[in-house]
Amino acid sequence: MKNRFSMERYSRVLILLLFIVALTIIRPKNFPTVNNISNVLWSISVVGILVSGSIFVMLLGGIDLSVGSLMGLSAVITVIMIRNSDYSNTGVILGVSLALLTGIAAGALHGFIVMTFHVPAFLVTFATQSIYLGISMVLTNNKILSCLGPKMFTDIGLGRIGPFTFPIYFMLIIALISYFVLNRTVLGRHIYAVGGNPDAAKISGISVRKITMLSYITSGLTAAIGGIVLASMTQQGMASTGSGYDTEVITAAVIGGVSLAGGAGTIQGAIVGAMLVGLLNNGMNLMNVPSTNQGLVKGLVIICAVALDIMQKNEKKIRLPFAKRKS
């Protein structure tokens, strides 16, 4: 029984390894190169940053659909501040600081509405998704704002240490912080407890309101960081900068084994999920799969991942009573 549970625990890592082996065999000259692997990690770095914060909300059984539009707003704020400061380093510091504060404020707003008015997180973040997009459109006059400097800004997304760019290191650092909080702190244990059974957690003395607020603030903060990084990568700010990233985050989390019902999932699984999505995109590009078909393939992968997760949970429920009888 222990062996079976350990196989489930590492199943996604095995799938990731199989993906790597398969792509290496199919494209031996293009895939297993340092530059290509670096490009894959660079392409998923923003998703990895986002999912490292969004997982806190998902573990509570909530969801943050606004991360994409909040990313766009954060990118726009950063770029506008830099442009208004004549592309100075001071403008970078001001822009980054204001963007981070915006992300924190947005997360606090989500948590406050969810807890105070008991509005489902889906509806709250679906509404603010449009609000943040509208604010970005007003700030930019629905135009693309280019920002090619200063170096302090462009290095955020394009600077490199060794073969890897800074966003990859940002992703790893933020993911490690998320891992430490969820697995090595009281706060992490409380998040899993609230996500598993909020009523029981409240009876145990856990402040559900505080945990919910902190989780949404974390999601908003990482959305802002993702927006800053993406603005530097593309060297521009526009309202649609984060378009589609909310779907990418949910895809990575679900493939990585995070339950949308709450109480189950790990950040390492979510990062592996993001890598699988990145490898899937990279593999389809290397095999010249038309972009019109790539969405279909990713949709099928999500359905299969969800079905596998449900099957594994149902199998556990069936096995556990037999295990208790034997003991």
Side-chain angles (χ1 to χ4, degrees):
M1 184 172 176
K2 288 183 179 179
N3 291 334
R4 296 186 71 178
F5 277 112
S6 62
M7 282 297 292
E8 289 173 6
R9 184 178 179 182
Y10 298 108
S11 60
R12 286 166 180 83
V13 175
L14 292 174
I15 293 172
L16 178 62
L17 293 174
L18 288 173
F19 251 77
I20 294 172
V21 172
L23 289 172
T24 300
I25 294 171
I26 295 170
R27 286 290 185 270
K29 293 182 180 179
N30 305 107
F31 177 75
T33 64
V34 174
N35 284 337
N36 186 59
I37 297 299
S38 177
N39 287 335
V40 171
L41 292 175
W42 185 74
S43 69
I44 68 159
S45 58
V46 172
V47 176
I49 290 170
L50 294 177
V51 80
S52 295
S54 295
I55 190 174
F56 284 71
V57 173
M58 294 180 187
L59 288 173
L60 296 182
I63 195 166
D64 190 348
L65 297 176
S66 70
V67 290
S69 57
L70 184 55
M71 272 181 65
L73 178 57
S74 301
V76 166
I77 289 172
T78 303
V79 169
I80 287 176
M81 291 301 296
I82 293 172
R83 286 164 62 100
N84 290 345
S85 301
D86 296 323
Y87 301 93
S88 66
N89 289 339
T90 301
V92 176
I93 295 171
L94 290 174
V96 169
S97 299
L98 187 56
L100 293 176
L101 288 174
T102 300
I104 291 170
L109 175 65
H110 296 157
F112 175 78
I113 295 175
V114 168
M115 290 306 302
T116 303
F117 302 104
H118 305 289
V119 181
F122 172 86
L123 293 177
V124 174
T125 56
F126 181 74
T128 55
Q129 181 185 57
S130 299
I131 293 172
Y132 301 146
L133 180 61
I135 295 173
S136 297
M137 287 182 173
V138 171
L139 291 175
T140 61
N141 198 22
N142 206 21
K143 294 179 180 178
I144 299 174
L145 304 180
S146 63
C147 187
L148 305 179
K151 191 174 184 297
M152 178 187 284
F153 171 67
T154 57
D155 276 352
I156 293 173
L158 301 174
R160 96 179 26 243
I161 297 176
F164 302 115
T165 52
F166 286 165
I168 297 172
Y169 295 108
F170 294 150
M171 174 183 69
L172 293 175
I173 291 170
I174 295 172
L176 285 172
I177 293 172
S178 181
Y179 173 84
F180 177 79
V181 172
L182 290 174
N183 294 276
R184 296 288 186 268
T185 67
V186 174
L187 174 61
R189 291 194 292 273
H190 286 179
I191 288 172
Y192 279 103
V194 172
N197 191 326
D199 293 329
K202 188 179 293 185
I203 293 172
S204 301
I206 297 173
S207 175
V208 176
R209 183 183 184 87
K210 178 182 176 181
I211 296 299
T212 302
M213 289 289 292
L214 286 173
S215 296
Y216 279 96
I217 288 172
T218 302
S219 182
L221 178 60
T222 51
I225 295 172
I228 295 165
V229 172
L230 191 59
S232 177
M233 283 178 166
T234 58
Q235 298 182 15
Q236 62 185 22
M238 57 181 176
S240 60
T241 292
S243 177
Y245 272 91
D246 41 9
T247 305
E248 292 287 325
V249 169
I250 295 171
T251 302
V254 170
I255 291 176
V258 179
S259 173
L260 296 181
T266 63
I267 182 57
Q268 56 268 38
I271 294 297
V272 169
M275 289 182 179
L276 285 170
V277 172
L279 288 174
L280 183 63
N281 291 334
N282 184 249
M284 288 190 290
N285 290 331
L286 290 177
M287 291 183 285
N288 299 316
V289 176
S291 58
T292 52
N293 297 338
Q294 291 187 12
L296 172 63
V297 174
K298 283 196 282 188
L300 291 173
V301 170
I302 294 173
I303 292 173
C304 291
V306 173
L308 176 64
D309 188 52
I310 293 173
M311 287 172 62
Q312 287 182 346
K313 287 178 180 176
N314 289 338
E315 190 178 353
K316 283 182 184 179
K317 288 179 181 178
I318 294 171
R319 288 203 308 264
L320 285 173
F322 285 101
K324 288 179 180 178
R325 287 177 192 173
K326 288 180 180 179
S327 61

